[in-house]
Amino acid sequence: MPHATAPPVTGHRPRWWTELPLIAVVYALYSVGRLLVRGDVSTAVDHGLAILRLEQALYLNAEHPLNRLFTSTPSLGIPADFAYASLHYLVTPGVLIWMFRRRSSAYRAARVWLMNSTLLGLVGFTLMPTCPPRLLDAGHGFVDTMAQYSAYGWWGAGASAPRGLSGMTNQYAAMPSLHVGWSLWCGILLWRHGRHPLVRAAGVAYPLLTTIVVMGTANHYFLDAVAGAAVMGVGALLVRPVVRLADRAKAWAGARVTGPLAVLFDGRSAGGRSAVPAEVPEAVPATVPPNVSAGCKTSPGERIPGQRTTSADPPGTAVGGPADRDAADAAASDDAPAAAR
């Protein structure tokens, strides 16, 4: 997914105190929206049966053998139920934190990708409420392993939520499977940005394992998993447009806030010119000669470069100043009559 994992062109490294509330708000909106978009049960069952018939027409039937295996083998079914009920709450935030700390240049794109796909999944739950295989009539051959092994975990017989809270979840939000979608997001990031071979191997194994788990526990059809992967692909393609839109909105909001306050803080008007008049230098009268020496005087014995000295002067004595020229002129006037005589 090059669009989703490429570093953003603009922007700075996000700060955790702004990222954490943003992610919490988006996930809360997703959770509440998922709960509120419950469709009619009969409609959800019809959609589930339609998916099952489509898979049979396409000769896709991975759910039944996996579900029978997990039902008959507690050593596989119980760990699978624990994985379904917990891993997406642990691995997905873990990868997001890892990207924030170790791959900060690609973190923003990864976070936007995850949010895009999650919101698209919410749209799918709204438009197509779907009954998962475990809630179909027993005549269709599926067993709810979460209910079968509920004594081993914290979940009840109704859903993977803690006991007594099954009514707080939407059990008909099966299409698309965000368990598979989020695991694919984790896997691609681990493969692309992981440096150790084990990290990259985990990036391959985790989405494959999640796909097997969601079908073996009868929580999703295979086509739910395919739809989850498709949603992640669309979310990745939308990363760059969403980032550009967010940057423009941020720049517009910043201009609206800082523009009127610029005069108060740095003295600049909206056009970029200084609002405070510049200080005008004091005019110097033309009749006053400039003081080029600025009050500096030579010390005794200091010789100005290029100045003549006489043999009668002590070494280092400067000659040629105003007093020396007056003495020379007086001596010349005393000698002039003698020369005439």
Side-chain angles (χ1 to χ4, degrees), residues 207-291:
L208 295 177
L209 177 65
T210 302
T211 303
I212 293 173
V213 164
V214 299
M215 291 191 297
T217 57
N219 278 284
H220 289 282
Y221 306 96
F222 176 73
L223 290 182
D224 293 346
V226 173
V231 161
M232 299 309 294
V234 176
L237 295 176
L238 292 176
V239 167
R240 289 190 183 275
V242 170
V243 168
R244 285 197 295 265
L245 182 61
D247 288 339
R248 290 174 184 174
K250 185 178 179 180
W252 178 84
R256 297 279 293 182
V257 172
T258 60
L261 299 179
V263 176
L264 297 178
F265 288 98
D266 61 5
R268 294 189 177 277
S269 62
R273 297 184 296 275
S274 176
V276 180
E279 183 179 356
V280 180
E282 183 180 358
V284 179
T287 57
V288 179
N291 185 6

Side-chain angles (χ1 to χ4, degrees), residues 114-179:
L114 181 63
M115 290 182 176
N116 290 347
S117 304
T118 301
L119 295 178
L120 288 174
L122 182 59
V123 174
F125 303 153
T126 305
L127 298 179
M128 191 174 177
T130 302
C131 178
R134 64 185 179 86
L135 295 182
L136 292 176
D137 185 85
H140 294 285
F142 293 103
V143 176
D144 186 353
T145 61
M146 303 293 291
Q148 179 180 356
Y149 300 121
S150 61
Y152 296 91
W154 60 83
W155 55 87
S160 60
R163 289 184 180 89
L165 298 179
S166 60
M168 299 297 294
T169 62
N170 182 2
Q171 300 189 66
Y172 300 102
M175 170 65 77
S177 171
L178 287 187
H179 274 77

